[in-house]
Amino acid sequence: MYTEGVVFQDNQILNNRKGYNAFGLLFKDAIDTVAERNVIVNSVNGIFLDSSHRNRIRNNLVAYNDVGVMLYASSLENSFGGNDFVGNLATLHTVGRADADWTPDGMGNYYSDYRGYDIDGDGIGDTPHRLQDAFEYLEGSRPLLRMFLYSAASDALAAAERSFPLVPSSGEEDTAPRTRPVSGVKMTYQYEGSEGRRGSPLLAGGSLLAMLLGGWLSLRSRA
């Protein structure tokens, strides 16, 4: 916080889930920082940036967080390259219109949820990776929507966005996503809680509620 020119390397940041300490790596009014080769695992927000500019976040492992990166519109000219985003409930949440470079100098990141393809086998996806679907974009400014993650409602909104571009979403994308992990960082911490979070009673309840609502609307439309 309130720093300039810091280099932050080779740290393991784990299990930050309580109160004001629910961040892995927090940037607040930080400028020209380099964060590289860090392991950031099992936090509410893996990386958080607010009013922070020209920071270079590269070759980190960001895994099994609720949100991989929380990025405020007040943060400008930050870059993310060569990172591995693995098993996060959402890779990116933005508050306002974000401004970040996800392919600095042509170096993209690896995403475990990338749905594209690599026909020529060079390790770089042939289609860009959009870091947020419509549901994740809306959730960034409406945290209560998180209860519907992985529900029929969120899946339906994501499908609608792919079919009808008028559905709101952010424009953040990685134009050279990697199809294999690239950070070179080895995780020496074994986390076993991601599937438990995804299958929590709250999420299951939200999914059931969404399915019941969808069924009721379908019956009404046929009446």
Side-chain angles (χ1 to χ4, degrees), residues 85-118:
F85 292 99
V86 178
N88 302 289
L89 291 182
T91 300
L92 172 68
H93 280 176
T94 56
V95 179
R97 180 60 64 179
D99 171 57
D101 183 359
W102 297 91
T103 319
D105 300 320
M107 169 59 78
N109 306 275
Y110 169 77
Y111 308 90
S112 60
D113 61 345
Y114 177 56
R115 297 180 180 178
Y117 46 84
D118 177 18

Side-chain angles (χ1 to χ4, degrees), residues 12-223:
Q12 293 199 31
I13 308 168
L14 315 171
N15 305 328
N16 295 301
R17 289 195 163 273
K18 294 183 179 180
Y20 292 107
N21 296 319
F23 304 97
L25 181 57
L26 182 146
F27 293 82
K28 172 65 176 175
D29 290 278
I31 300 173
D32 293 320
T33 294
V34 175
E36 60 185 355
R37 299 191 306 274
N38 301 291
V39 173
I40 304 170
V41 174
N42 189 28
S43 296
V44 174
N45 295 289
I47 301 173
F48 178 96
L49 296 100
D50 182 16
S51 299
S52 297
H53 315 300
R54 300 191 306 274
N55 300 290
R56 288 165 288 168
I57 300 167
R58 61 197 186 196
N59 304 113
N60 302 282
L61 174 61
V62 184
Y64 305 118
N65 305 284
D66 288 2
V67 179
V69 177
M70 175 67 82
L71 180 62
Y72 277 69
S74 58
S75 296
L76 305 174
E77 299 182 42
N78 297 289
S79 65
F80 299 81
N83 302 288
D84 295 331
F85 292 99
V86 178
N88 302 289
L89 291 182
T91 300
L92 172 68
H93 280 176
T94 56
V95 179
R97 180 60 64 179
D99 171 57
D101 183 359
W102 297 91
T103 319
D105 300 320
M107 169 59 78
N109 306 275
Y110 169 77
Y111 308 90
S112 60
D113 61 345
Y114 177 56
R115 297 180 180 178
Y117 46 84
D118 177 18
I119 294 178
D120 58 8
D122 64 353
I124 301 175
D126 297 330
T127 58
H129 178 66
R130 297 187 65 178
L131 278 85
Q132 292 180 291
D133 61 29
F135 182 85
E136 291 167 337
Y137 176 66
L138 293 173
E139 186 199 348
S141 56
R142 299 169 178 85
L144 288 176
L145 289 176
R146 188 169 299 180
M147 69 179 293
F148 292 105
L149 274 172
Y150 299 101
S151 71
S154 65
D155 291 342
L157 186 57
E161 178 207 9
R162 290 192 294 269
S163 302
F164 305 100
L166 293 177
V167 177
S169 64
S170 77
E172 296 295 295
E173 66 177 17
D174 188 329
T175 58
R178 299 305 176 112
T179 56
R180 297 182 293 272
V182 292
S183 71
V185 176
K186 303 299 182 181
M187 183 163 55
T188 58
Y189 168 73
Q190 184 175 357
Y191 175 62
E192 298 178 352
S194 62
E195 294 302 320
R197 288 207 317 278
R198 294 178 184 223
S200 70
L202 184 61
L203 297 183
S207 179
L208 178 59
L209 178 61
M211 287 187 288
L212 289 174
L213 179 59
W216 180 75
L217 290 173
S218 177
L219 290 173
R220 292 238 343 168
S221 66
R222 294 178 185 178

